[in-house]
Structure formats: C-alpha cells, structure tokens
Amino acid sequence: MVDEPVVSEDDEEGDDPETDGGVQAYTVRLELVDEPGELLRALSPIAENGGNLLSIHHERGNITPRGHIPVEVDLECPPDRFEDIVEALRDAGVNVIQAGADRYGEEINVVLVGHLVDTDLSHTLNRIQEETSAAVLDLSLSAPEGTENISSARLRLAIDSGEAEETLAQIRTIGTDKELTVVEPLLGGDA
Amino acid sequence: MGQKLAILGAGDVGRSVADLAGEYGHEVVALADSSTAVVDPDGIDVEAALERKVGGESVGTADPEAVFETDYDVLVEATPTTLGDAEPGFSHVERALEADRHVVLANKGPVAERYEELQALEADSAGSVRFEATVGGAIPVLSTIEDETPQAVTAVRGVLNGTANFILTRMAAEGLDYEHVLAEAQDLGVAEADPTFDVDGTDAALKFVILANVLADGGFALEDADVTGIQNIPGSALDLAAEDGRTIRLIGEATREGVRVAPRLVPENGPLAVTGTRNIVQIETKNAGSLHSSGRGAGGPETATAVLSDVGRLPEL
C-alpha cells in the first residue's frame, strides 16, 4: 500500500497536487461483486487508459447493503484522461460510486415527510431497498411533535451510477403509496 | 419614438405602468379597471386617474369598451390572471391583435393556458405579442431566452414565487412551523389573505408552463404540470436538510419535455437558495453553460418595468 497524501473530493477544489507533466491525483470509489478476479477486472480499464495506480483500499470486511465490497482506488492521470477512465470502468460493468469531485457522486439525500412512524418506517425503508437500486446508508429522524404526528426523515442513499432520476421516480411512487411527501434533491444544472 | 398605450387593469401593475410610462417616453391614452375607463387620444391625466383609483373611486367615467375604440399602439393587458379559458384576458388580446395592434401581457392566463391560439392570432396580425412581465417580474427571463434563442436553452429552473420562498426561508432561519410563518407573512403583506395559489405551487407552475411553451413553441397548459406545494413541509424537514448543508426551496423546472414544481433539496449556499421574497432563474444553455438571474419577481413598479421593456422592444406599427 502506498502511503502518501491522496486527493479526496474535499480538497478537489483546493491546491491540488499537480505534477510538472500536468498529471493529477483522483479517487474513484467502486463497488465490486465478491468474486475471484473482480478486482483485477476493475483495475485494467484504469491502466489501459493511461491511469497510474497510486493505492487501492480494499475494504474486505465492509460489505455494502447490497452485499458488494467497496473499493477505493487512488490514481493519477492527466485531467483530460480522467473521464475516459471513468467511462471505461462503466463500460466494463464496474459500478462506479464516486469519481473525483461531486460530479460523479452517486450518493444522494432525500427527505420524507408524513406519518412516518404510523405508516411503518422500516417497511418504507425495505421497499426502497427492494424496489429500487438504492441502498440506504443512514437515516436521521425528526419528530418534534411526537411520533403520532407528522415527522421527517432524511435518508442518505447510495445509488447506481446514472440512475438517480429513475431511483427518485421509484421512491416518489413509494411515497405516493404511503401518503408521504418526498422532498427530492435538485439534480439538474449546477444547482 | 414613444408608443400610445391603452392599459387594461388598474391593479398594482396597471397603475405602475401608467405612472412610469412617461419616464420611458410613452403616452397613456386609455386606462380601464373592471367597470370604468378614462380615455383621451391626446393622453390621459394619469395622476388624476390614479388619485381617483387610490381614493376608492372608479378610474374614470367612460365604458371600458371605449378603450378598444381609441387610437392606441399597444394594449397592455394587466387584468388579474384567470385559469381555464383565461377570460376575459384572452378576448382582450384577441381584439387588439385583430385590430392589428401590439399586445404586452402582464396577465399570465392567456400565455399559460392558450399559448397556441395566441401564436395563431399573432401570426395573422400586424401586431406582436410580448409577455416578459408574466415570468419573474423585473428579472429579464424571457428576453434572455430570446437572446440565447429558445432552441439553445435546454432547461429553466428556479424560484419564481416570493411568498413560498419567504415562508421557507423564515421556517429554516427561525425553526418555526408553516402555519406560524404564514400568519407572519400575511401580517407583513407578503402573503395574501388567501395564499393558496402561492403555497400550493399554482402560481409558480403557471410561470414554468409559460417557459415550457416558449422552449417547445407551445404544447403546455397548467394541467400538464406536475405540481406539489409547500403546505406539508414541517420545520423538522428543514432542520434535517440543514444537517447535510441543504435547504428546501419551491423549485420549478421547465424543459421541452415537461413542467415540474415541487419542494426540493438545494445546497444551502447554492445559487438557487435565494432568501426572502427574492426570485431566481437558472437558464441552462447548450453552448454557454448556465446563466443565473436574480431579482424582484413581483411588485407593481418592478413588474411594470418588464412591461415597459417589452413596449420598448416593439416595432412601430
């Protein structure tokens, strides 16, 4: 494991290390199926597209709600090659959770409003996990009027790359079924 | 050269247009409220008419019909917005265009509900129709789209209802609930006694329907919009949004595919999280990225500037 500072999404906008050759460091977060050879399969599109691997953080013990293994890969490449690398990963069927800055971020928040407790919150969460490709990462509930009244919950969701619109539409349907208001994030533009 | 204006509607907007017309080099030859009118081919005494109106009297002694008999260049339609058939606004526009006059609308009804009919009438007329004032008050939204050309605009998003925005801003800042803030907004005159159209999203939806009509060259009416209001948003939802650096705003979106208005999560310090009664639009273009324009989206003098800008863009008949 190479032990050196890594550019995470937090300091992406700051003074990124940029070497003389215009190469920049990036982090991509992947989700891999727990099968032999998967890691190698995920790394080859990076090497084939001019990326230089810096470190691989393979969280074997940490399984995502969908039973996949999260892997964090640090690499460096010229900025104009980064998109090609991400695309090559996706073409190879690798699930890219996050690539560089927020732009590729596939973690979203939604706020649910309504009689969340009365309408069985865990059932609502189960439906989201089962009927959509989203995984609920965490939940924050606020019920200042007591659990018999209107309350709100914020869900942090991991979703498959490029499927935000579809996932949100499915969550909206679940919300309608359960008479909950779904406050969705605004995804378009540079909002 | 100045234009001769006939103004229908003597509410905040109509009165402000009459008041400011001279400053922009135009002359008011007629002003009508719902039951009376004052007409003078040499220019009416605007000050006297406005004094009568504000004093609770009728604006003049003539029949509103007399307005259409006057020699005017531009009909300013500033009567209240009505839904469905958008009457009587639509008929006013029809009469002016059939007489080969220009029309400037502050009334959202005809543009949101009967856009194609309006376009057809304009095509058969020597006059033109403009409606900058119907979307975002003083903010130049439609003229910006016109400058970029509608085909190069992929989407328009934003906050176009000051009342709903004021309520959400206060709820987030003070940790208060909807009912409490609504009552405060009514005391301040920010919200009307019946705030339904503002808080249920209808007013914002009308504006985004107009935007979708401009982008797609027609095809939309209010019934085509997917609309959710802010009445069900409790303070706790705003608190939770803030945990993640977000806030909730009533956001409208217009594309060539459709119209949607709903409370949405936006970054707390992002461009769309305007505060108070301020409005903002984000115009997403194909070749020039996003443009943002923010300002006062309502108010008599503010909206009147949009009407008068439109008048200034009209050719002489």
Side-chain angles (χ1 to χ4, degrees):
Chain A
M1 206 65 60
V2 186
D3 187 22
E4 65 168 293
V6 152
V7 178
S8 72
E9 62 263 38
D10 293 323
D11 47 21
E12 192 71 27
E13 292 173 8
D15 42 347
D16 292 350
E18 197 172 293
T19 66
D20 290 336
V23 170
Q24 203 169 324
Y26 295 94
T27 301
V28 285
R29 289 181 65 204
L30 313 173
E31 246 190 2
L32 301 181
V33 183
D34 192 8
E35 277 171 18
E38 273 303 296
L39 183 60
L40 189 61
R41 200 174 71 81
L43 296 180
S44 36
I46 299 175
E48 282 161 17
N49 285 278
N52 181 30
L53 288 168
L54 295 176
S55 72
I56 301 157
H57 191 59
H58 191 195
E59 304 170 48
R60 269 216 73 88
N62 192 0
I63 295 198
T64 68
R66 276 173 299 169
H68 296 172
I69 298 173
V71 177
E72 212 169 84
V73 179
D74 299 317
L75 60 101
E76 58 182 14
C77 68
D80 57 341
R81 302 302 302 271
F82 185 60
E83 284 204 38
D84 295 341
I85 291 175
V86 174
E87 212 173 285
L89 283 166
R90 287 181 173 149
D91 287 348
V94 177
N95 193 12
V96 182
I97 294 290
Q98 201 159 44
D102 280 312
R103 191 165 162 206
Y104 293 103
E106 304 289 336
E107 236 179 44
I108 55 170
N109 280 273
V110 296
V111 172
L112 304 181
V113 176
H115 286 274
L116 290 167
V117 180
D118 293 351
T119 58
D120 191 352
L121 185 54
S122 28
H123 175 251
T124 305
L125 297 181
N126 275 337
R127 282 195 62 184
I128 291 174
Q129 301 251 107
E130 279 161 22
E131 295 170 32
T132 78
S133 64
V136 180
L137 299 177
D138 63 40
L139 170 134
S140 175
L141 179 73
S142 175
E145 312 281 315
T147 52
E148 285 99 74
N149 281 303
I150 297 283
S151 51
S152 309
R154 180 172 63 86
L155 310 184
R156 191 160 63 90
L157 306 169
I159 53 166
D160 285 349
S161 306
E163 289 187 11
E165 292 288 355
E166 194 191 329
T167 306
L168 287 169
Q170 290 162 332
I171 293 176
R172 204 152 63 225
T173 307
I174 297 172
T176 308
D177 284 356
K178 304 204 72 170
E179 292 180 18
L180 303 173
T181 303
V182 180
V183 183
E184 296 170 41
L186 185 68
L187 300 172
D190 52 6
Chain B
M1 268 298 280
Q3 306 261 24
K4 290 182 189 168
L5 311 185
I7 304 168
L8 292 184
D12 283 346
V13 176
R15 293 205 305 268
S16 294
V17 172
D19 189 31
L20 295 173
E23 208 179 295
Y24 286 72
H26 308 298
E27 192 177 30
V28 182
V29 295
L31 174 65
D33 58 22
S34 54
S35 50
T36 65
V38 49
V39 176
D40 188 334
D42 298 321
I44 64 163
D45 183 343
V46 170
E47 209 177 319
L50 295 184
E51 250 171 55
R52 284 195 296 276
K53 183 71 190 172
V54 174
E57 296 170 55
S58 50
V59 72
T61 50
D63 189 275
E65 276 295 307
V67 171
F68 293 98
E69 315 301 323
T70 323
D71 181 23
Y72 65 89
D73 303 312
V74 183
L75 185 80
V76 175
E77 221 300 341
T79 65
T81 295
T82 49
L83 303 181
D85 63 2
E87 291 293 4
F90 186 85
S91 292
H92 295 157
V93 178
E94 189 172 32
R95 288 178 74 171
L97 287 173
E98 281 175 352
D100 289 326
R101 306 290 174 207
H102 294 307
V103 178
V104 172
L105 284 143
N107 178 348
K108 295 185 275 293
V111 206
E113 301 283 54
R114 301 175 73 175
Y115 189 83
E116 296 83 0
E117 288 173 79
L118 212 58
Q119 296 294 94
L121 286 170
E122 187 189 32
D124 289 340
S125 171
S128 308
V129 182
R130 301 192 64 92
F131 42 91
E132 179 69 78
T134 59
V135 180
I139 309 171
V141 183
L142 295 169
S143 54
T144 305
I145 294 172
E146 192 176 20
D147 286 350
E148 295 292 318
T149 76
Q151 295 76 24
V153 173
T154 46
V156 183
R157 302 185 180 86
V159 173
L160 287 180
N161 184 276
T163 303
N165 205 62
F166 176 90
I167 292 172
L168 290 172
T169 308
R170 292 286 296 166
M171 284 172 69
E174 309 295 331
L176 296 168
D177 255 317
Y178 173 78
E179 296 296 339
H180 186 118
V181 176
L182 174 61
E184 180 197 74
Q186 285 167 326
D187 288 345
L188 289 170
V190 170
E192 312 215 7
D194 180 1
T196 313
F197 270 27
D198 293 311
V199 300
D200 76 0
T202 305
D203 173 72
L206 284 170
K207 295 166 189 172
F208 282 95
V209 165
I210 293 171
L211 287 164
N213 276 332
V214 170
L215 295 187
D217 198 23
F220 295 95
L222 185 60
E223 62 192 26
D224 303 310
D226 179 357
V227 188
T228 309
I230 62 162
Q231 312 96 306
N232 296 329
I233 303 295
S236 58
L238 286 145
D239 291 344
L240 290 174
E243 282 181 3
D244 183 44
R246 317 259 140 178
T247 189
I248 298 175
R249 287 290 182 269
L250 184 65
I251 301 283
E253 288 181 278
T255 62
R256 271 174 272 279
E257 280 72 53
V259 176
R260 189 166 162 206
V261 174
R264 305 289 283 271
L265 293 166
V266 296
E268 224 165 7
N269 300 312
L272 295 184
V274 285
T275 56
T277 55
R278 222 173 161 73
N279 285 16
I280 184 156
V281 286
Q282 177 192 75
I283 298 171
E284 187 184 278
T285 69
K286 205 155 59 180
N287 306 315
S290 285
L291 311 171
H292 289 86
S293 218
S294 172
R296 294 193 187 167
E302 292 86 349
T303 308
T305 63
V307 169
L308 290 162
S309 299
D310 269 352
V311 172
R313 289 187 184 98
L314 289 166
E316 268 186 71
L317 284 169

